[in-house]
Amino acid sequence: QVQLVESGGGSVQAGGSLRLSCDASGFTSSSICMAWFRQAPGKAREGVAAIYPGWGNVFYDDSVKGRFTISRSNDKNTVYLQMNSLKPEDTAMYYCAADSVPKIGGNWFLDSLFSHWGQGAQVTVSA
């Protein structure tokens, strides 16, 4: 059974940093795309970043480019989202998502394609 467990959310002032972690277990394949999504109150869930197997296969939403970094542990079981220069508009519930690369293809930003989700981690950025 696939499980995704997030940690690391919290509250920070604008300009600060936080790091989210997502521990994954239960996958039978190594060809897994892992992504971070976020959902602010009253808004649709949006893709933030994704990482595919292989070196350098990372993608970001334009709103976080240059500020957020997605990475993966050597054993590929943990994915991180390092968030720097945080802004109040980054305030949201952040979710880790994962599914097979053949299923996701290049559409990492489409939450409807992902079958596996974490419970969410709240990130609050104050002005």
Side-chain angles (χ1 to χ4, degrees):
Q1 182 178 357
V2 173
Q3 279 193 317
L4 302 176
V5 179
E6 297 135 350
S7 60
S11 297
V12 67
Q13 288 190 324
S17 299
L18 286 171
R19 189 174 84 155
L20 301 178
S21 299
C22 175
D23 292 318
S25 61
F27 286 108
T28 57
S29 168
S30 61
S31 184
I32 302 296
C33 170
M34 297 192 72
W36 288 96
F37 287 80
R38 66 185 179 186
Q39 187 167 24
K43 294 188 177 181
R45 189 160 52 187
E46 61 179 4
V48 175
I51 187 165
Y52 288 74
W55 182 84
N57 290 336
V58 296
F59 300 89
Y60 299 94
D61 183 76
D62 285 347
S63 65
V64 305
K65 278 181 182 176
R67 301 187 298 122
F68 291 12
T69 302
I70 189 170
S71 62
R72 207 162 185 165
S73 61
N74 288 336
D75 61 9
K76 297 181 176 57
N77 290 335
T78 302
V79 172
Y80 306 98
L81 185 68
Q82 177 66 43
M83 303 181 291
N84 298 331
S85 302
L86 282 160
K87 304 175 181 180
E89 50 264 44
D90 294 317
T91 295
M93 185 72 78
Y94 283 70
Y95 297 92
C96 176
D99 218 313
S100 68
V101 170
K103 182 179 178 189
I104 301 300
N107 300 312
W108 65 268
F109 46 87
L110 294 179
D111 60 347
S112 59
L113 295 179
F114 288 86
S115 300
H116 309 292
W117 292 86
Q119 80 283 5
Q122 178 67 40
V123 171
T124 302
V125 185
S126 57

